[in-house]
Amino acid sequence: MSNSSFAQQLRWVAILCAALGAIEVFNFLTGRSLSGFGLIPREPSSLYGVITAPFLHSSVQHFLCNIVPLAVLTTLLLQYGQKRYILVTTGVIAGSGLLVWLFARPAIHIGASGVIFGYISFLIVAGLRQQQIKHLLISIFVLFSYGGLLWGVLPTAAGVSFEYHLFGAIVGAALGMKPVR
């Protein structure tokens, strides 16, 4: 995808959204049976949740609130190339998940918002550090379009994993500090 066309990138985003949609439909139809695969902090038997939690949502509304920004931000992140996309995605999923497992409140943590916050902070930081106008413009767009979401790193709403937001943003920013080649 690094040398792929924008149309190919959009196909990838559509496949990703369709896969997440299929998981959501299955979870909905089975009475949220998959939600038990979320991440429970400091519970050794829940470590698989580091990988599974970002793909699960607590409700259709939760899913819908995440899927649009995830699609937009994935498209923007793909402008850095396939290799960077894979590194940032795996880094944000693993890093934020492990930090949530180590430090978050006891609860079942699920949702793609940690990934979204990781993408937001990566795109802002990496774009500001770049010498390329395209990446700088992406950074400015993300800052103005999604920068207000960064208030979500604060514990303002009961039942919302601000920890995933916070740790996703920290990991994404750290990954954004690395030079993009």
Side-chain angles (χ1 to χ4, degrees), residues 3 21 55 59 65 88 90 116 137 139 168 170 175:
N3 295 323
F55 301 99
S59 67
C65 286
V88 170
T90 56
I116 291 167
L137 291 173
S139 178
I170 290 170
L175 292 168

Side-chain angles (χ1 to χ4, degrees), residues 31-148:
R32 300 279 161 211
S33 65
L34 298 178
S35 295
F37 291 99
L39 182 56
I40 302 171
R42 293 165 302 287
E43 182 65 44
S45 64
S46 168
L47 265 172
Y48 58 79
V50 167
I51 304 302
T52 57
F55 301 99
L56 304 171
H57 293 87
S58 61
S59 67
V60 172
Q61 180 182 358
H62 184 207
F63 170 78
L64 293 174
C65 286
N66 279 335
I67 198 68
V68 172
L70 185 64
V72 170
L73 295 165
T74 296
T75 303
L76 295 173
L77 182 54
L78 284 168
Q79 303 317 299
Y80 283 83
Q82 179 182 10
K83 182 180 177 185
R84 181 61 58 174
Y85 168 77
I86 291 169
L87 289 171
V88 170
T89 301
T90 56
V92 167
I93 288 173
S96 64
L98 288 171
L99 289 168
V100 166
W101 190 83
L102 287 169
F103 300 113
R105 297 167 289 156
I108 297 179
H109 296 261
I110 56 176
S113 56
V115 175
I116 291 167
F117 278 73
Y119 285 0
I120 290 170
S121 62
F122 172 84
L123 289 166
I124 292 170
V125 171
L128 293 174
R129 292 181 47 82
Q130 290 301 300
Q131 301 293 320
Q132 297 178 17
I133 190 71
K134 175 173 108 174
H135 294 144
L136 179 59
L137 291 173
I138 289 171
S139 178
I140 292 167
F141 171 78
V142 170
L143 184 60
F144 283 104
S145 299
Y146 294 103

